[in-house]
Amino acid sequence: MKVALGNDHGGYVLREAVLETLKKNKIEVTDFGTFTADSCDYPEYGLRVAEGVAEGKFDFGILLCGTGIGISIAANKVKGIRAATVTDAFCAEACKKHNNANVIAMGGRIITPEQAKTVLQAYIDAGFEGGRHEKRVRQIADIEAKYFK
Ligand code: RB5
């Protein structure tokens, strides 16, 4: 399994926890940084990860910023991306089971590194349930097709 990781300075604090969890699960990571706590612009990193996931280069993406919100909004501007900002294991599991989220976003000012490990593990362990959720995810794609030119 291959994943892409991207973060700004606000998400920097969660990087080690994420990398450790990926290693534990033997998941290969392409790390787009940023690699320091210096201020930078989250849309840049959201875009890099989202493009890679949308192009099929990665099984999923992980994005980190202060809240997880800005970087997921940026990623969701890329066609085919379903980025979910999650704060706990329940949401992490649900975003995979129900929404087939292909990017998970977390906030370094919202959750602790220990919590990020639990959240990411819940996402990794979950699978898309399909069925009635398949129809709804298709409806999301229909909205994309209508508005993305
Ligand atoms: C950066 O200060 C902060 O705005 C960013 O990390 C993120 O929280 C945006 O949504």
Side-chain angles (χ1 to χ4, degrees):
M1 189 177 272
K2 290 182 183 178
V3 311
L5 169 64
N7 60 278
D8 76 351
H9 55 291
Y12 180 74
V13 67
L14 299 182
R15 277 177 53 83
E16 278 314 309
V18 165
L19 291 169
E20 201 182 296
T21 305
L22 294 175
K23 193 173 172 191
K24 191 173 143 198
N25 286 274
K26 298 185 171 49
I27 294 174
E28 192 185 317
V29 57
T30 297
D31 191 350
F32 290 99
T34 186
F35 304 102
T36 74
D38 296 341
S39 182
C40 63
D41 301 324
Y42 60 80
E44 214 179 292
Y45 299 90
L47 176 63
R48 287 183 204 169
V49 168
E51 281 182 336
V53 173
E55 286 165 12
K57 292 179 182 160
F58 306 107
D59 295 289
F60 67 92
I62 302 167
L63 292 174
L64 313 169
C65 71
T67 57
I69 297 170
I71 204 160
S72 67
I73 292 174
N76 277 318
K77 298 299 176 191
V78 175
K79 192 172 184 180
I81 293 302
R82 292 176 302 280
T85 304
V86 294
T87 53
D88 57 36
F90 181 85
C91 291
E93 198 181 325
C95 82
K96 189 63 197 283
K97 280 175 153 179
H98 292 191
N99 317 117
N100 203 14
N102 50 14
V103 174
I104 184 174
M106 296 179 282
R109 296 172 187 156
I110 307 295
I111 60 174
T112 65
E114 276 312 304
Q115 288 171 323
K117 287 182 193 172
T118 307
V119 169
L120 179 56
Q121 191 63 55
Y123 174 84
I124 291 168
D125 291 342
F128 181 48
E129 282 181 356
R132 68 187 190 282
H133 301 297
E134 181 75 59
K135 178 187 166 200
R136 293 163 188 165
V137 170
R138 261 205 319 273
Q139 288 173 332
I140 294 172
D142 290 345
I143 297 171
E144 256 186 3
K146 183 175 176 188
Y147 288 101
F148 279 55
K149 300 298 170 203

